[in-house]
Amino acid sequence: MKNPFENLDKALEHRVRLQIMSVLVTHDGYEFNALKEVLSITDGNLASHIKALEREKYLTVSKSFVEKKPNTKYKITERGRTAFKKHLDALEAVVKQQK
């Protein structure tokens, strides 16, 4: 029997990254400050986890200005959506195997 833990996505094993993806999968896009507030984390902590997900091409970053203030928005990519679903399926398999 294959070990279901092998199917977990290393990039999504950290709880903050999993939280980020959970928010993005249910929204069309999310701004940096709103995401920071929802997750109750610091700027630096959010930025480092966003970079990790961006390296995996799980999300896209768009930067603009709103009323002369910088605005950064994140969107999940199709690759990210697929990886998130596979990770959740792997978690479910782990739970089912323990019953």
Side-chain angles (χ1 to χ4, degrees), residues 9-12 14 17 20-21 24 44-61 74-75 77 79-80 83:
D9 188 325
K10 292 280 185 207
L12 299 177
H14 194 283
R17 292 183 197 152
I20 291 168
M21 294 296 284
L24 294 179
N45 199 1
L46 179 56
S48 67
H49 289 292
I50 288 287
K51 283 198 184 308
L53 293 170
E54 191 178 10
R55 273 194 302 272
E56 297 294 326
K57 297 187 179 5
Y58 288 175
L59 55 83
T60 59
V61 181
Y74 305 100
K75 282 185 156 186
T77 62
R79 178 180 174 145

Side-chain angles (χ1 to χ4, degrees), residues 60-90:
T60 59
V61 181
S62 62
K63 297 183 181 241
S64 62
F65 285 89
V66 176
E67 297 177 11
K68 298 184 183 181
K69 291 182 182 179
N71 183 20
T72 305
K73 189 172 185 178
Y74 305 100
K75 282 185 156 186
I76 194 168
T77 62
E78 201 52 48
R79 178 180 174 145
R81 192 175 302 281
T82 300
F84 183 75
K85 182 174 179 347
K86 283 183 180 178
H87 187 74
L88 291 183
D89 290 345

Side-chain angles (χ1 to χ4, degrees), residues 27-57:
H27 294 86
D28 186 39
Y30 227 79
E31 294 176 359
F32 182 87
N33 287 328
L35 195 53
K36 181 179 74 168
E37 189 175 311
V38 165
L39 302 179
S40 299
I41 58 176
T42 64
D43 288 16
N45 199 1
L46 179 56
S48 67
H49 289 292
I50 288 287
K51 283 198 184 308
L53 293 170
E54 191 178 10
R55 273 194 302 272
E56 297 294 326
K57 297 187 179 5

